Amino acid sequence: MRRACQFSLLGFVIALVGCGRLDEQQAKVVLQHSDTGLKKTIFVDVGFLNAHCGQRVSSVKYALLQRAGIIDIKPGYNTQVMTTEKGDRIFKAIGAQEVDTGKFKLVTGQQGCNLRSWAVPIASKQMSELKITSSGGESADVVYNWRWQPNEIGQAFSEDGDFYKSLSGRQRDLLVEEDLQRDLPLDSHTPHATRQHFVHDNTGWHLAK
């Protein structure tokens, strides 16, 4: 009887240890909720833009958005940039969010500027293979393979898209330089890999800070 109880206790401990291990489903859930890099977002200013207010309208980003029919640009001292009817529809469909730029305008002295800033998602990472390497009961390394999956606006920024192909060689180089993350143009064919470190505490598994 005593030996049976010992085996039962051992089995209970093993079960607890097993529950603490990070599995593929847990990893995907944590990544989807915490990995900000799973989406590619661009920032677009609309309104009246000039050297003092907003982004450079001469950037390749604005040229691509205009060619795709998302925005309309009317040149002038205060260049007017407005979303088209198509742009409004797509912004809503893909979940574009207006950005609160109050503090930014205060710091940069742009309080008097008549513009709005939008965070516009253009692609998401489509995860495929995921590999978990445990580095102890409290941490693990996760490497996942992925490809870019552009949305309707992201197609304009895709390497194999007609709008990108219509750019000059110089414009293509500038598009790469303008993007701080160097994700543009979007390549939806070549597989990429990202490594993330996970840690476990009393709240569960989460990405290491």
Side-chain angles (χ1 to χ4, degrees):
M1 178 70 177
R2 184 177 179 182
R3 178 175 295 180
C5 289
Q6 288 176 336
F7 281 126
S8 297
L9 180 60
L10 178 60
F12 179 69
V13 171
I14 292 174
L16 283 179
V17 172
C19 290
R21 291 188 178 278
L22 178 66
D23 61 37
E24 186 171 325
Q25 185 59 37
Q26 288 175 315
K28 285 185 176 180
V29 170
V30 172
L31 287 168
Q32 288 166 355
H33 285 84
S34 305
D35 188 353
T36 57
L38 288 182
K39 286 188 177 181
K40 175 63 179 176
T41 300
I42 61 173
F43 293 89
V44 181
D45 293 338
V46 297
F48 294 92
L49 312 184
N50 55 42
H52 175 68
C53 297
Q55 301 179 57
R56 291 186 300 106
V57 184
S58 59
S59 71
V60 182
K61 172 174 61 179
Y62 280 90
L64 286 171
L65 291 171
Q66 184 179 33
R67 294 184 188 190
I70 304 300
I71 60 173
D72 181 48
I73 301 176
K74 295 180 180 179
Y77 174 75
N78 289 301
T79 301
Q80 184 179 0
V81 178
M82 301 298 291
T83 50
T84 62
E85 185 177 339
K86 175 184 177 180
D88 289 337
R89 174 180 59 79
I90 297 178
F91 268 32
K92 183 177 181 180
I94 65 176
Q97 298 289 324
E98 188 171 357
V99 180
D100 182 3
T101 57
K103 291 183 179 179
F104 174 79
K105 289 180 179 179
L106 184 63
V107 172
T108 59
Q110 294 189 18
Q111 299 99 311
C113 297
N114 185 7
L115 60 88
R116 291 181 296 166
S117 296
W118 290 86
V120 183
I122 63 171
S124 58
K125 291 179 180 178
Q126 186 176 29
M127 284 189 284
S128 53
E129 184 181 359
L130 187 149
K131 182 180 180 181
I132 301 173
T133 304
S134 177
S135 48
E138 303 301 319
S139 63
D141 288 316
V142 174
V143 176
Y144 62 91
N145 295 331
W146 56 272
R147 285 182 171 87
W148 281 123
Q149 186 173 27
N151 59 26
E152 193 168 353
I153 292 182
Q155 292 294 339
F157 294 84
S158 297
E159 193 173 48
D160 56 354
D162 292 338
F163 296 117
Y164 175 76
K165 289 179 179 178
S166 70
L167 296 176
S168 67
R170 176 55 180 160
Q171 285 178 310
R172 294 184 186 189
D173 291 340
L174 285 174
L175 181 64
V176 175
E177 295 172 10
E178 291 170 1
D179 183 50
L180 296 178
Q181 286 75 40
R182 296 294 192 266
D183 292 326
L184 298 179
L186 298 171
D187 179 1
S188 58
H189 299 292
T190 305
H192 306 272
T194 296
R195 179 189 298 272
Q196 291 284 17
H197 187 61
F198 282 62
V199 293
H200 185 273
D201 56 24
N202 57 357
T203 65
W205 286 99
H206 54 85
L207 295 183
K209 296 181 179 179

